[in-house]
Amino acid sequence: MKRVFGVKKDKEPPPSIQDSSDRINKRGETVDEKIKKLDAELARYKEQIKNTRPGPAQEAVKSRAMRVLKQKRMYEGQRDMLYNQTFNLDQVAFASEGIKDAQQTVSALKSANKELKGMMKTVKIQDIDNLQDEMMDLMDVSSEIQETLGRSYSVPDDIDEEDLMGELDALEADMAMETESDGVPSYLQPDKEPDLESELNLPSAPTGHAAPAGRGNNQAEDELGLPAVPRASLRG
């Protein structure tokens, strides 16, 4: 059957926008090279026209220059057409890339939307409100506890400004009396240390050397100050 009907050939994929743009750019570069060659040829003909006297020779050079100029204009038209095609392809490629980016953005948004819906099922607004109310109650209780612990004990609270001024006047009067009596207030005078000897009433230390007490028996002493031992008499 394959020999009769042949084998179906696989279709080649259509060229992409980038491939088409690259091929057109190569053609444009080729046309630019041809235009440069024609420009160089026109410059040479221009020099020949300047150096040639008017006549048949100059007219022949002008005729060749005119033909080259027509070719140049034709190539310039082709180049402009290729540039326009490249511009159109670039616009299409830009639009295509924009659509692809939009598709990816939409896909990401759908995925995020699905994930958010799943997360919202586990979070309830009523639970959050109840949690906030409980936190506020706990903070109020904590403030009351701190205020209770910070109270002062046995401190009168009924002291007004009149009592304060009276206390200050009395203190000033006491300070004035102490200053008039001693010249210096008592709280500014240095502390005096008590005389310990007068308080203990100790006797004074004796002065001079005491005489040694006499001994009852005058006994001889040896060179060390010890009593001498009497020697026995030697008999012959």
Side-chain angles (χ1 to χ4, degrees):
M1 296 295 292
K2 292 182 180 180
R3 292 180 180 179
V4 177
F5 296 100
V7 180
K8 185 178 180 181
K9 296 182 179 180
D10 295 333
K11 292 183 179 180
E12 295 181 358
S16 63
I17 296 176
Q18 187 64 36
D19 295 337
S20 300
S21 179
D22 293 339
R23 186 174 63 254
I24 293 174
N25 287 330
K26 289 181 180 179
R27 289 178 59 190
E29 292 175 358
T30 303
V31 174
D32 285 335
E33 291 178 358
K34 292 181 179 181
I35 291 174
K36 289 180 181 179
K37 291 180 180 179
L38 294 176
D39 287 337
E41 191 173 355
L42 286 174
R44 187 174 66 253
Y45 287 151
K46 182 179 179 181
E47 293 295 330
Q48 291 179 3
I49 291 172
K50 287 182 179 181
N51 297 327
T52 306
R53 294 180 180 179
Q58 189 180 38
E59 293 297 330
V61 175
K62 287 182 179 180
S63 177
R64 289 194 295 270
M66 186 64 67
R67 185 177 65 253
V68 172
L69 180 60
K70 289 180 180 180
Q71 291 179 358
K72 178 185 175 183
R73 295 291 173 81
M74 181 186 66
Y75 286 137
E76 287 178 349
Q78 292 179 359
R79 183 187 61 183
D80 294 339
M81 181 180 63
L82 292 174
Y83 284 165
N84 290 333
Q85 292 179 6
T86 304
F87 177 75
N88 293 332
L89 288 175
D90 291 340
Q91 292 293 326
V92 173
F94 181 78
S96 177
E97 292 295 330
I99 295 298
K100 290 180 180 179
D101 294 339
Q103 289 177 349
Q104 292 180 357
T105 303
V106 171
S107 177
L109 289 175
K110 288 181 179 179
S111 178
N113 187 18
K114 183 178 180 181
E115 186 177 358
L116 285 174
K117 286 182 179 179
M119 294 172 63
M120 286 299 179
K121 292 180 180 179
T122 60
V123 179
K124 296 181 180 179
I125 300 298
Q126 187 64 34
D127 295 339
I128 296 176
D129 291 337
N130 295 334
L131 180 61
Q132 290 291 336
D133 294 338
E134 291 179 1
M135 291 298 297
M136 292 179 65
D137 294 339
L138 290 175
M139 293 301 295
D140 293 338
V141 173
S142 177
S143 299
E144 292 179 0
I145 292 173
Q146 296 297 328
E147 184 178 357
T148 302
L149 293 176
R151 292 178 182 175
S152 300
Y153 301 103
S154 300
V155 177
D157 297 333
D158 55 350
I159 298 177
D160 54 5
E161 185 176 357
E162 185 177 357
D163 295 335
L164 175 62
M165 297 305 297
E167 186 70 22
L168 293 177
D169 293 339
L171 180 61
E172 185 179 2
D174 293 341
M175 292 174 61
M177 291 178 63
E178 292 180 358
T179 303
E180 291 177 357
S181 60
D182 298 335
V184 179
S186 60
Y187 63 88
L188 295 179
Q189 295 179 0
D191 296 335
K192 295 182 179 180
E193 296 182 357
D195 192 358
L196 297 178
E197 294 181 358
S198 60
E199 290 183 359
L200 297 176
N201 196 14
L202 296 176
S204 59
T207 59
H209 299 281
R215 295 181 180 178
N217 298 323
N218 293 329
Q219 189 176 2
E221 296 178 354
D222 57 6
E223 63 273 8
L224 298 178
L226 297 176
V229 178
R231 296 180 180 180
S233 60
L234 297 176
R235 294 179 180 181

